[in-house]
Amino acid sequence: MTPSSAEELQHMQAGLGKRHLSMTDDLTHSEVSSLFCDTYPKMKSASGGWLLYKASGGQGRRRLNLVPPESEGYSGSTIRCATGGGKTMLYIVPLQDEFDLSPLPSDAQEFSLMPKAECKKCFKMMPLQILALHVRECDTLEYETLSDSEPEVTNSPPAFEEKSTDAKCPVCMKTFPLLELEFHASFCGDLESPDIMKPQNEVMSCEEDVLRWLAAQVDTSKDFSICVSRINLVERGLLLWRRQKISSPVNTLKITFLGEAGVDTGALRKEFLTELIGGIETRLFEGEEGKGKMPKYSLNDLDNGLFRVAGEVFAVSLAQGGPAPRFLQDWCYDFLLSGTLENANKDNVYDAEFSPLIKMIEEASDLSSYSEQIVNYGFTGPINEDNKQNITRAIVMHAAARRTLMLQQLREGLQLYRLIDTMEKNREVCRSLFVVQGGNDKVDSHYIVSHLAPQMSESGTLKHTKEVQILNHFQDFLMELEDGDAQDEAALSVPQVMQWLTGQAHRHLLLSEREAFKITVQFDHTCMQRLPSHTLCYPIISACTQTITFPTAHLSNSNEFKEIMKTAVQHGGCFYRV
């Protein structure tokens, strides 16, 4: 029996029940095992070992997590801690045997101390808890004592109508005997769907399959809430993520920006993940633009667990609508899955310090001037032209090996949702979610304009003419940003406009999301009537509903449109309206 079988676990719960054990901290594993066998007689037959599992969550979904044993096994203190002093149920799961899950007879030894009473129909003694259910379904005919003078009635109606013995559970819609239905309904829905609980064994054909499977792993029974300031968002976000104690990143991420009235229905979460993924790329990774990045060699960040947090952020972003972390170098991705550096070579390891040195060594005819550096980087053979290939290989291995601790910690974070297991089984399908690709998947002007859904006035009217003119200005504005200086970091970009409109700066990862995506465009023709004395107003954005409203009185001129839009995008990203 395994914890991935929800039906069997339900029967196990019914068989074992929930009991408070008299557990002291100094009990050893063997004493705990003996105590379990005395308390649960069915465990005496489980000779192939067992483990304890603990349920978490609720409200229709509950995830079963292994209670890890100590090196000496389960002790009294371990179980007391795991159960919160006897307040939480533990599931005993045999590793090689199966429990006898048939219901106990009413005269079983386990019921010996319970108060009992006799059924008046079948005259059986049974505990009151069982009797309360038994009397409703007891099918023994009720006989009356007939005197000699009373004739026997042969065609009399039965004492009670025959009832159906099965009924459907209103929660899971499965059929159960009526005798067991009430007990089943008391915990139906507490266990996760078996399809979600069991590890992903099927081979996935595309990254969309991976994303859909990941989305199904999110535990929606609780919220993983973070309240963060936009100032220094990356550092504060990593800190708050790491110190969360009430909930877990496996739950639904809910974001609140300090001082803003926005309620997170998805847009705030996407904006936070967009900013955090971009900040992690700059803060914890380094490399040449367009060639992928590797973790920075930073022992203090490693000691603070920031690479583990980065791995968790990557998993949550993929599962909950954020951007994919497509910036890793190929060898980093391979190391995450294999744990070896066999794929690391000078063609795919780009390092600001070592790559120029490798190039100089390859072009040099005399290596004596580089002898000290070559030795420091781990090469111990003869330093001559015949060993150039071995020397460059040693430098590449040095550059990659010093970052393996960071990658191992990143892998720990990717254990969230069991993502790393899925990556190992679908290596090439998942590669495009992490490794920098040759194509450009950034949002461009066409992506935004092609998904506009304008609400236009009647064709031929003056209002319709103004609306068409504003849409043309908007497209020109996006194309001008697209053709601008990509090296100017302070310059506005099309992805920033996308983030201003919707909360996310990336293309939608799922095809179904791309097909359903639209930006509703509305036009305000009455702002001058409402506020006759005002001279300027800005477009109004609702990122949650993906709606933009243009004030037509102030955007008729192309230059005026561009200046107003730049100011709105750069200074109007906060959620002050609800």
Side-chain angles (χ1 to χ4, degrees), residues 78 137 157 191 246 298 305 547:
T78 302
E137 304 302 328
L191 297 176
I246 299 177
S298 175
T547 302

Side-chain angles (χ1 to χ4, degrees), residues 17-21 40 53-57 62 67 79-91:
K18 182 178 180 180
R19 303 174 181 173
H20 298 287
L21 302 178
Y40 311 128
Y53 280 75
K54 178 180 179 181
S56 62
R62 182 168 295 177
V67 177
I79 297 177
R80 180 179 294 278
C81 180
T83 61
K87 297 178 182 178
T88 304
M89 178 183 292
L90 294 181
Y91 295 87

Side-chain angles (χ1 to χ4, degrees), residues 344-362:
N345 56 65
K346 66 183 181 64
D347 295 324
N348 63 13
V349 176
Y350 303 100
D351 183 277
E353 178 183 354
F354 300 110
S355 295
L357 175 62
I358 292 174
K359 185 176 181 180
M360 288 188 292
I361 289 176
E362 289 179 332

